[in-house]
Amino acid sequence: MAVATLHGLPRMGLTFGGMLISGKRVAEIGIQQLELNILDIEPLATVK
């Protein structure tokens, strides 16, 4: 974010992208730790 600020670039995209990638990685680690099969997990809600 500091580099983006220094160059006058938008910062939110970088921050959100980093959170998205780290959240995905945490989910992957959690699935591995719990030894879950991703195909057995049912969604909490469905999109209509």
Side-chain angles (χ1 to χ4, degrees):
M1 277 183 32
V3 173
T5 300
L6 180 65
H7 294 285
L9 302 171
R11 296 178 296 166
M12 204 53 215
L14 299 174
T15 302
F16 181 72
M19 289 188 298
L20 187 64
I21 292 170
S22 66
K24 180 180 180 280
R25 182 67 185 133
V26 168
E28 290 169 349
I29 292 170
I31 288 169
Q32 289 173 351
Q33 294 277 326
L34 295 172
E35 299 177 359
L36 295 175
N37 182 347
I38 192 70
L39 299 176
D40 293 336
I41 299 173
E42 294 184 25
L44 296 176
T46 57
V47 177
K48 294 181 181 184

